[in-house]
């Protein structure tokens, strides 16, 4: 039997012969409004509308089709200054389970009372240290033709919209055969997307209605509406052991991006591509960060909808910069002398860490890994160490290959590492986002926490909010970074533009270890200026920021540039986008304590002049400005200092592919 609310809705509908709006406050509280219209005999539409607390975002629930084939979908709208824009006209909904279909013919049963969610929490690293968020939430209950129950949980945050599926039943294990979630994007929408690859290490492609490609795509994906009033970023969060990672595909229809499961061939064919669930169950959150570019860059929504920290004592979790030898010497960790030189560099630059990358188990030329650990610790630096994720899921034979693979192996290895003084591990080559691999990632994090080991995932998925739940997860690769200068000439010419897209896409959703700030060349050169490279230390957020250049690359710098790199933080209290556009340029300000750091880059092949307004500074306070910008050519700097306040602005000249950094320190702190 249908609910009394549904029966009343049907009676009212039959009594009305014209299109109308019916308010049912006695039946449905909050923002619920039904849109009633007459059409074909067995079709109808129903609308539920939820607004964000700040009234800027709206998500609506609708249905269409004959009653026994009824399909449900969401619409997303943005309300800017004096203007309302339907941003995503249709977000298709539904799941197909091995025993039942929850994609068609679902009957509305009831909705919960609207609930206001407000939350404050702190983070030991990331784009901001103090987080707050607010959302309105409703839960919609559905029933299929055989009385199977499914809920849809919807939240409207001030900076985005999230939704997830829920099976409330108890008992039973099922395969999810397909998820029907898809985003219909108007063809005139501009988009920046990365072709799917298991390591998430591609280049973002800019597309419009005339250049749309049909393929599978990585998260996150960035869109701008035709009228330029709204930007949005598609992603997912709170992915756990009960599901697999998904990706986006528009192969069937160019402007419809459907969630798809991992390819069966990923991870050398190991593990199932379709997830197995047990009831009760909730899906990951489907996340749409929405608003201005400033809103997107500052958003912590992916973390906000993820579970709170499982690590009670976080005092041992220390972000910081890292010296790293692989970029300049691919086999550097085999050589004890190179390892100690990078330890000396970290000590000179006051960076807290140095990384022993692959081949540490073959170290020679004066010492082995135990000797290296002792030397590094003697310099006041903490060592980090690399591992192959191992198993049959990777083609890479590099050793050690099995020490992270099982709980017993991890416990044994973490015990040894703690005794030797290692602070954390870099684990590489996961090559899959299947459910078994998600479980492996999280098992590693659980075990590492017990031994107070920092974790860095490489050759991996992009962030899904895990750093909130496991704050010792310091960073991920999941990006085409400076390491690609070793692989071929491609990044030499694509990096300038690529670097201006990443702050609006990949780095929005979590830490990103691009391994930046290189002044010399690796196997293939870069054509970015010294100012551009220096700026990446601010633009790219990573709690372990691996500074990739060789020691002489930093030692040759003028003292003012070295001083900047000695003090630039790897974790931030606040982040603000000051200007930019994907593929062209970007300027970001980040605050640590009372000091602001600004980084700006030019991705184009023409010189630019930028005027940077300092109206984000605290009013009534004088600041000392220290500016390091491009000089006459790409390997030269200029510097400038001044006294400024919130009414000031700074004019900066950027070479083609150039950049700059600045510090703003309250004068009473100097």
């Amino acid at each position: 039997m249908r609910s009394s609310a549904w029966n009343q809705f049907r009676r009212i509908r039959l009594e009305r012969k014209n299109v109308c709006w019916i308010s049912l406050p006695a039946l449905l509280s909050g923002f619920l409004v039904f849109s009633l219209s007459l059409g074909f005999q067995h079709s109808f539409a129903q609308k539920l509308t939820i607004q964000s607390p700040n009234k800027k975002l709206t998500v609506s629930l609708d249905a269409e089709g004959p009653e026994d084939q009824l399909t449900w979908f969401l619409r997303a709208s943005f309300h800017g200054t004096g203007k309302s824009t339907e941003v995503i006209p249709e977000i298709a909904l539904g799941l197909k389970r091995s025993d039942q279909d929850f994609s068609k013919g679902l009957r509305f049963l009831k909705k919960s009372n609207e609930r206001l969610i407000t939350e404050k929490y702190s983070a030991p690293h990331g784009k901001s240290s103090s987080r707050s968020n607010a959302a309105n939430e409703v839960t919609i209950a559905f029933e299929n033709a055989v009385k199977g129950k499914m809920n849809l949980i919807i939240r409207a945050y001030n900076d985005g919209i999230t939704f997830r599926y829920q099976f409330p039943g108890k008992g039973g294990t099922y395969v999810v055969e397909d998820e029907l979630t898809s985003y219909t994007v108007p063809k005139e929408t501009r988009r920046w997307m990365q072709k799917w690859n298991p390591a998430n290490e591609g280049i973002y492609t800019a597309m419009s209605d005339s250049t749309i490609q049909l393929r599978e795509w990585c998260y996150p994906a960035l869109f701008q509406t035709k009228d330029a009033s709204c930007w949005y970023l598609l992603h997912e969060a709170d992915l756990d052991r009960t599901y697999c990672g998904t990706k986006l595909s528009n192969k069937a229809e160019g402007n419809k991006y459907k969630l798809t499961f991992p390819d069966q061939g990923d991870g050398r064919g190991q593990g199932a591509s379709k997830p197995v669930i047990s009831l009760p169950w909730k899906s990951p959150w489907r996340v749409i960060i929405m608003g201005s570019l400033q809103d997107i860059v500052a958003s912590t929504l992916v973390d906000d909808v993820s579970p709170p920290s499982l690590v009670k004592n976080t005092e041992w979790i220390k972000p910081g910069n890292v010296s790293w030898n692989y970029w300049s010497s691919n086999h550097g960790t085999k050589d004890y002398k190179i390892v100690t030189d990078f330890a000396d560099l970290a000590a000179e630059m006051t960076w807290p860490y140095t990384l022993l990358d692959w081949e540490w188990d073959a170290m020679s030329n004066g010492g082995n890994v135990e000797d290296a650990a002792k030397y590094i610790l003697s310099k006041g630096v903490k060592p980090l160490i690399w591992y192959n994720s191992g198993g049959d899921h990777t083609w890479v034979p590099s050793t050690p290959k099995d020490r992270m693979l099982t709980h017993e192996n991890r416990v044994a290895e973490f015990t040894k590492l703690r005794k030797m003084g290692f602070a954390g591990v870099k684990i590489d080559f996961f090559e899959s986002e299947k459910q078994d691999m998600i479980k492996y990632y999280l098992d590693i994090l659980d075990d590492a926490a017990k031994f107070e080991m920092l974790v860095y995932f490489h050759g991996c998925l992009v962030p899904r909010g895990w750093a909130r739940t496991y704050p010792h997860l310091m960073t991920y690769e999941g990006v085409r970074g400076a390491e690609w200068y070793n692989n071929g000439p491609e990044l030499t010419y694509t990096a300038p533009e690529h670097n201006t897209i990443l702050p609006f896409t990949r780095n929005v959703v979590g830490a990103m270890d691009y391994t930046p700030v290189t002044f010399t060349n690796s196997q293939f050169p870069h054509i970015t200026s010294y100012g551009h490279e220096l700026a990446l230390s601010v633009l790219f957020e990573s709690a372990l920021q691996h500074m990739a250049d060789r020691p002489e690359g930093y030692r040759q710098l003028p003292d003012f540039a070295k001083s900047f790199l000695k003090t630039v933080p790897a974790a931030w209290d606040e982040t603000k986008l000051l200007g930019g556009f994907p593929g062209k340029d970007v300027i970001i300000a980040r605050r640590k304590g009372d000091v602001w750091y600004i980084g700006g880059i030019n991705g184009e092949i023409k010189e630019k002049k930028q005027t940077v307004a300092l109206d984000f500074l605290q009013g009534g306070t004088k600041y000392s400005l220290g500016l390091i910008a491009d000089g006459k050519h790409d390997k030269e700097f200029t510097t400038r200092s001044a006294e400024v306040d919130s009414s000031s602005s700074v004019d900066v000249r950027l070479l083609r592919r150039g950049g700059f950094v600045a510090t703003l320190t309250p004068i009473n702190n100097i």
Side-chain angles (χ1 to χ4, degrees), residues 68-86:
D68 63 344
Q69 293 292 308
L70 195 67
T71 59
W72 295 85
F73 60 94
L74 299 173
R75 304 179 192 271
S77 300
F78 175 73
H79 312 287
T81 304
K83 185 176 184 179
S84 181
T85 302
E86 185 175 70

Short mmCIF file of all heavy atoms in Angstrom, two decimals, residues 68-86:
data_model
loop_
_atom_site.label_atom_id
_atom_site.label_comp_id
_atom_site.label_asym_id
_atom_site.label_seq_id
_atom_site.Cartn_x
_atom_site.Cartn_y
_atom_site.Cartn_z
N ASP A 68 5.04 2.47 -13.89
CA ASP A 68 5.81 1.25 -13.68
C ASP A 68 7.23 1.35 -14.21
O ASP A 68 8.05 0.46 -13.98
CB ASP A 68 5.09 0.05 -14.31
CG ASP A 68 4.95 0.19 -15.82
OD1 ASP A 68 5.13 1.32 -16.33
OD2 ASP A 68 4.67 -0.82 -16.49
N GLN A 69 7.54 2.44 -14.92
CA GLN A 69 8.89 2.68 -15.42
C GLN A 69 9.45 4.01 -14.93
O GLN A 69 10.40 4.54 -15.51
CB GLN A 69 8.88 2.67 -16.96
CG GLN A 69 8.56 1.31 -17.56
CD GLN A 69 9.65 0.30 -17.30
OE1 GLN A 69 10.83 0.55 -17.57
NE2 GLN A 69 9.28 -0.85 -16.75
N LEU A 70 8.85 4.53 -13.87
CA LEU A 70 9.20 5.86 -13.38
C LEU A 70 10.69 5.96 -13.05
O LEU A 70 11.25 5.09 -12.39
CB LEU A 70 8.38 6.14 -12.12
CG LEU A 70 8.32 7.59 -11.64
CD1 LEU A 70 7.57 8.45 -12.63
CD2 LEU A 70 7.65 7.64 -10.28
N THR A 71 11.32 7.02 -13.53
CA THR A 71 12.72 7.27 -13.19
C THR A 71 12.82 8.59 -12.44
O THR A 71 12.11 9.55 -12.73
CB THR A 71 13.59 7.34 -14.46
OG1 THR A 71 13.11 8.37 -15.32
CG2 THR A 71 13.59 6.02 -15.19
N TRP A 72 13.73 8.60 -11.48
CA TRP A 72 13.91 9.77 -10.61
C TRP A 72 15.22 10.45 -10.94
O TRP A 72 16.20 9.79 -11.30
CB TRP A 72 13.90 9.34 -9.14
CG TRP A 72 12.58 8.78 -8.71
CD1 TRP A 72 12.15 7.49 -8.85
CD2 TRP A 72 11.52 9.50 -8.09
NE1 TRP A 72 10.89 7.37 -8.34
CE2 TRP A 72 10.46 8.58 -7.86
CE3 TRP A 72 11.35 10.82 -7.69
CZ2 TRP A 72 9.27 8.95 -7.27
CZ3 TRP A 72 10.16 11.19 -7.08
CH2 TRP A 72 9.13 10.26 -6.88
N PHE A 73 15.24 11.76 -10.78
CA PHE A 73 16.45 12.51 -11.06
C PHE A 73 16.47 13.79 -10.24
O PHE A 73 15.44 14.25 -9.72
CB PHE A 73 16.58 12.83 -12.55
CG PHE A 73 15.45 13.64 -13.12
CD1 PHE A 73 15.53 15.02 -13.20
CD2 PHE A 73 14.30 13.02 -13.59
CE1 PHE A 73 14.49 15.77 -13.73
CE2 PHE A 73 13.26 13.76 -14.13
CZ PHE A 73 13.35 15.14 -14.20
N LEU A 74 17.66 14.36 -10.11
CA LEU A 74 17.87 15.62 -9.42
C LEU A 74 18.17 16.72 -10.42
O LEU A 74 18.67 16.46 -11.52
CB LEU A 74 19.03 15.51 -8.42
CG LEU A 74 18.91 14.49 -7.30
CD1 LEU A 74 20.22 14.40 -6.51
CD2 LEU A 74 17.75 14.82 -6.37
N ARG A 75 17.89 17.95 -10.02
CA ARG A 75 18.34 19.14 -10.75
C ARG A 75 19.13 20.00 -9.77
O ARG A 75 18.78 20.08 -8.59
CB ARG A 75 17.16 19.96 -11.26
CG ARG A 75 16.16 19.23 -12.14
CD ARG A 75 15.04 20.21 -12.53
NE ARG A 75 13.91 19.53 -13.14
CZ ARG A 75 13.79 19.30 -14.44
NH1 ARG A 75 14.75 19.68 -15.26
NH2 ARG A 75 12.72 18.68 -14.93
N ALA A 76 20.15 20.67 -10.26
CA ALA A 76 20.97 21.54 -9.42
C ALA A 76 20.97 22.95 -10.00
O ALA A 76 21.20 23.13 -11.19
CB ALA A 76 22.39 21.02 -9.32
N SER A 77 20.73 23.94 -9.13
CA SER A 77 20.67 25.34 -9.56
C SER A 77 21.53 26.19 -8.65
O SER A 77 21.74 25.88 -7.47
CB SER A 77 19.24 25.86 -9.53
OG SER A 77 18.41 25.11 -10.41
N PHE A 78 22.01 27.30 -9.23
CA PHE A 78 22.84 28.26 -8.50
C PHE A 78 22.18 29.63 -8.60
O PHE A 78 21.72 30.04 -9.67
CB PHE A 78 24.24 28.32 -9.11
CG PHE A 78 25.13 29.37 -8.52
CD1 PHE A 78 25.67 29.21 -7.25
CD2 PHE A 78 25.45 30.51 -9.22
CE1 PHE A 78 26.50 30.18 -6.70
CE2 PHE A 78 26.27 31.49 -8.69
CZ PHE A 78 26.80 31.32 -7.41
N HIS A 79 22.13 30.33 -7.46
CA HIS A 79 21.50 31.65 -7.41
C HIS A 79 22.58 32.68 -7.10
O HIS A 79 22.98 32.86 -5.95
CB HIS A 79 20.40 31.67 -6.34
CG HIS A 79 19.48 30.48 -6.45
ND1 HIS A 79 18.55 30.35 -7.45
CD2 HIS A 79 19.39 29.36 -5.70
CE1 HIS A 79 17.90 29.21 -7.30
NE2 HIS A 79 18.40 28.58 -6.24
N GLY A 80 23.05 33.33 -8.16
CA GLY A 80 24.06 34.36 -8.00
C GLY A 80 23.43 35.70 -7.74
O GLY A 80 22.25 35.81 -7.42
N THR A 81 24.22 36.75 -7.89
CA THR A 81 23.72 38.10 -7.63
C THR A 81 22.67 38.46 -8.66
O THR A 81 22.96 38.68 -9.84
CB THR A 81 24.88 39.10 -7.70
OG1 THR A 81 25.90 38.69 -6.78
CG2 THR A 81 24.40 40.50 -7.34
N GLY A 82 21.42 38.46 -8.23
CA GLY A 82 20.32 38.84 -9.11
C GLY A 82 20.03 37.88 -10.23
O GLY A 82 19.33 38.23 -11.19
N LYS A 83 20.54 36.64 -10.16
CA LYS A 83 20.37 35.72 -11.26
C LYS A 83 20.32 34.29 -10.76
O LYS A 83 21.04 33.91 -9.83
CB LYS A 83 21.53 35.88 -12.25
CG LYS A 83 21.39 35.06 -13.51
CD LYS A 83 22.54 35.37 -14.46
CE LYS A 83 22.36 34.61 -15.77
NZ LYS A 83 23.45 34.91 -16.72
N SER A 84 19.44 33.51 -11.37
CA SER A 84 19.34 32.09 -11.03
C SER A 84 19.65 31.27 -12.27
O SER A 84 19.12 31.54 -13.36
CB SER A 84 17.94 31.76 -10.51
OG SER A 84 17.86 30.39 -10.17
N THR A 85 20.52 30.27 -12.14
CA THR A 85 20.94 29.45 -13.27
C THR A 85 20.72 27.98 -12.95
O THR A 85 21.16 27.49 -11.90
CB THR A 85 22.44 29.67 -13.58
OG1 THR A 85 22.67 31.05 -13.85
CG2 THR A 85 22.88 28.84 -14.77
N GLU A 86 20.02 27.26 -13.85
CA GLU A 86 19.95 25.82 -13.72
C GLU A 86 21.27 25.25 -14.24
O GLU A 86 21.57 25.30 -15.42
CB GLU A 86 18.78 25.25 -14.53
CG GLU A 86 18.60 23.76 -14.30
CD GLU A 86 17.38 23.20 -15.00
OE1 GLU A 86 17.41 23.13 -16.24
OE2 GLU A 86 16.41 22.85 -14.30
#
